[in-house]
């Protein structure tokens, strides 16, 4: 009974290999021991020495050997085999540690994630598939366990990045006396059904999105400011430097038909000037007659102090050139008011006037 009280660790790796270890520094300090085992499957028992010893600080601390049955017996003896130090009999099936899940797949739809894996060849009824997950906002892992080999969970935010890991567990105590689970499958990172290298990519994606939006807003703001400044500049330009009308749009025939030759244009449009002059003279006659009546009434009361000379006296001259000049004077006065037209008139025109 005292020999069975020695603490040992027994692991059956997926019913393929057995590993039995002990704390040699506490149980057998400064001593080397020998290990013997047998699987009691038949009538005859064949004791075997350990094929592969495990060492700690230079002393034997365990044995690794192949699993060959369901009932195991082993004992530990001193180095020369003369004294038995420990012995035990057990069911190897109650110490199974399963392998990692194989061919793990993730399926993300809306807020639900479903994980599946291949079914092991043996002991499926004793296995459970455990799913653990967390985001950067979680303090620890969240866990969900289901029958092998499918597990699902709801409530995932598609805007967050999650870390996932899965493993297989043995049911305790109906299948195992020790709560053994497989090693974790490689951790994966998912965000809205997209596999990422790490959740750091989520920060990069969000940073890139923020930078892109900021750049677009900056460009739009600059365009808006530019349009405002352009509008104000046009108003300022109009107020400071008003637009000078171009005479070529007013006297189209002068520049298109006569290439700016004023004398030639005057000669061609003489009949138009004469008609305008006649209308103008008729209007002046009416005004002159009215003025004469008013002056006549004033002359009855007071004698005139000065003589008024009329420019029309120039028309009394029988010289044809003077008559033509008198007819052209109103038209020329109208034309000379446009900016830049003074340069068109040549020296002969000044002499004529």
């Amino acid at each position: 009974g005292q020999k069975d009280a020695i603490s040992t660790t027994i692991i059956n790796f997926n019913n393929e290999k057995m590993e039995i270890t002990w704390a040699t520094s506490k149980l057998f300090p400064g001593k080397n021991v020998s290990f013997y085992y047998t699987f009691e499957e038949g009538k005859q028992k064949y004791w075997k020495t350990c094929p592969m010893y495990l060492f700690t600080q230079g002393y034997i601390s365990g044995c690794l050997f192949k699993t060959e049955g369901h009932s195991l017996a082993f004992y530990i003896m001193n180095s020369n085999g003369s004294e038995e130090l420990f012995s035990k009999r057990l069911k190897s099936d109650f110490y199974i540690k399963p392998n990692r899940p194989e061919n793990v797949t993730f399926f993300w739809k809306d807020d639900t994630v479903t994980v599946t894996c291949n079914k092991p060849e043996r002991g499926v009824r004793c296995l459970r598939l455990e799913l653990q997950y967390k985001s950067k906002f979680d303090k620890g892992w969240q866990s969900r366990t289901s029958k092998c080999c499918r597990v699902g969970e709801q409530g995932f935010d598609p805007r967050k990045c999650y870390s996932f890991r899965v493993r297989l567990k043995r049911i305790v105590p109906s299948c195992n006396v020790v709560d053994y689970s497989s090693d974790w499958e490689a951790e994966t990172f998912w965000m809205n059904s997209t596999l990422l290298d790490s959740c750091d990519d989520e920060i990069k994606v969000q940073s890139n999105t923020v930078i892109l939006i900021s750049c677009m807003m900056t460009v739009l703001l600059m365009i808006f400011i530019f349009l405002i400044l352009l509008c104000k500049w046009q108003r300022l330009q109009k107020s400071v430097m008003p637009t000078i009308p171009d005479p070529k749009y007013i006297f189209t025939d002068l520049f298109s038909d006569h290439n700016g030759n004023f004398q030639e244009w005057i000669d061609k449009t003489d009949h138009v000037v004469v008609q305008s002059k006649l209308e103008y003279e008729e209007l002046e006659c009416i005004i002159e007659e009215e003025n004469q009546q008013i002056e006549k009434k004033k002359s009855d009361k007071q004698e005139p102090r000065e003589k008024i000379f009329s420019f029309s006296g120039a028309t009394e001259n029988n010289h044809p050139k003077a008559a033509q000049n008198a007819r052209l004077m109103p038209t020329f006065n109208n034309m000379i008011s446009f900016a830049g037209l003074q340069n068109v008139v040549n020296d002969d025109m000044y002499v004529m006037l």
Side-chain angles (χ1 to χ4, degrees), residues 2-143:
Q2 185 178 1
K3 294 181 181 180
D4 291 338
I6 295 177
S7 176
T8 58
T9 302
I10 303 168
I11 304 174
N12 183 0
F13 292 101
N14 200 41
N15 216 18
E16 297 172 357
K17 291 183 179 181
M18 296 287 298
E19 180 184 277
I20 300 177
T21 57
W22 54 86
T24 184
S25 59
K26 294 181 179 180
L27 300 177
F28 315 111
K31 297 180 180 180
N32 261 330
V33 296
S34 300
F35 183 86
Y36 300 90
Y37 72 96
T38 184
F39 286 93
E40 303 174 339
E41 300 301 326
K43 295 181 180 180
Q44 297 181 350
K45 297 180 182 180
Y46 298 95
W47 291 92
K48 300 179 181 179
T49 59
C50 178
M52 181 180 294
Y53 281 108
L54 305 176
F55 292 86
T56 301
Q57 297 179 354
Y59 294 96
I60 297 174
S61 59
C63 180
L64 183 64
F65 53 95
K66 183 179 180 181
T67 303
E68 298 175 353
H70 303 286
S71 299
L72 173 66
F74 68 91
Y75 61 89
I76 300 174
M77 301 184 68
N78 59 4
S79 58
N80 57 15
S82 59
E83 181 182 0
E84 180 181 326
L85 303 176
F86 176 75
S87 63
K88 187 176 182 66
R89 286 178 172 84
L90 54 92
K91 292 289 184 179
S92 62
D93 292 344
F94 286 92
Y95 295 86
I96 293 178
K97 180 179 181 178
N99 289 339
R100 293 178 178 177
E102 298 179 353
N103 194 22
V104 178
T105 58
F106 286 81
F107 181 72
W108 187 312
K109 183 178 180 181
D110 298 332
D111 66 338
T112 304
V113 174
T114 304
V115 183
T116 59
C117 68
N118 290 345
K119 290 184 178 181
E121 296 180 357
R122 293 176 294 182
V124 177
R125 64 177 184 84
C126 290
L127 294 175
R128 295 291 182 268
L129 182 62
E130 182 182 9
L131 169 67
Q132 287 191 347
Y133 58 91
K134 68 176 181 179
S135 69
K136 62 181 181 181
F137 302 101
D138 299 325
K139 295 182 179 180
W141 290 97
Q142 308 294 320
S143 184

Side-chain angles (χ1 to χ4, degrees), residues 160-340:
K160 295 181 181 179
C161 177
Y162 292 88
S163 303
F164 292 94
R165 63 182 184 180
V166 293
R167 66 180 179 180
L168 291 173
K169 297 182 64 176
R170 291 277 293 185
I171 300 175
V172 177
S174 59
C175 294
N176 260 34
V177 294
V178 182
D179 188 10
Y180 283 147
S181 301
S182 70
D183 295 333
W184 290 105
E185 181 64 16
E187 187 175 347
T188 57
F189 306 92
W190 293 81
M191 180 177 178
N192 193 18
S193 70
T194 302
L195 179 63
L196 304 177
D197 293 335
S198 67
C199 280
D200 295 335
D201 296 342
E202 176 191 15
I203 301 175
K204 294 180 180 179
V205 171
Q206 293 178 352
S207 300
N208 294 336
T209 304
V210 171
I211 292 173
L212 180 60
I213 295 176
S214 301
C215 291
M216 293 178 63
M217 295 296 294
T218 303
V219 171
L220 292 176
L221 181 61
M222 292 179 64
I223 293 174
F224 180 72
I225 294 174
F226 175 76
L227 293 176
I228 294 177
L229 293 178
L230 181 61
C231 182
K232 290 186 176 294
W233 169 251
Q234 290 178 350
R235 291 182 180 179
L236 179 63
Q237 190 177 20
K238 289 181 180 180
S239 61
V240 176
M241 296 179 292
T243 304
I244 300 174
D246 194 342
K248 72 179 181 179
Y249 296 108
I250 303 175
F251 302 99
T252 306
D253 54 348
L254 174 62
F255 295 96
S256 62
D257 298 339
H258 305 285
N259 295 325
N261 191 331
F262 181 77
Q263 186 62 47
E264 181 182 346
W265 178 73
I266 288 294
D267 295 337
K268 294 290 185 180
T269 58
D270 184 58
H271 65 283
V272 179
V273 175
V274 173
Q275 184 178 357
S276 301
K277 177 61 180 176
L278 291 175
E279 296 176 357
Y280 178 76
E281 287 178 353
E282 291 176 359
L283 181 62
E284 282 187 347
C285 291
I286 297 173
I287 297 174
E288 186 175 357
E289 290 177 0
E290 293 178 355
N291 290 335
Q292 289 177 357
Q293 294 177 3
I294 295 172
E295 291 295 334
K296 186 176 180 180
K297 291 180 180 181
K298 289 183 178 181
S299 62
D300 295 339
K301 298 179 180 181
Q302 181 180 359
E303 293 183 359
R305 297 180 181 181
E306 61 180 1
K307 294 182 180 180
I308 300 174
F309 296 92
S310 175
F311 183 79
S312 62
T315 61
E316 295 176 0
N317 192 351
N318 294 327
H319 196 279
K321 195 70 175 181
Q324 184 180 2
N325 292 340
R327 292 195 305 269
L328 294 176
M329 183 58 64
T331 305
F332 179 74
N333 289 336
N334 292 332
M335 291 174 58
I336 206 70
S337 62
F338 293 97

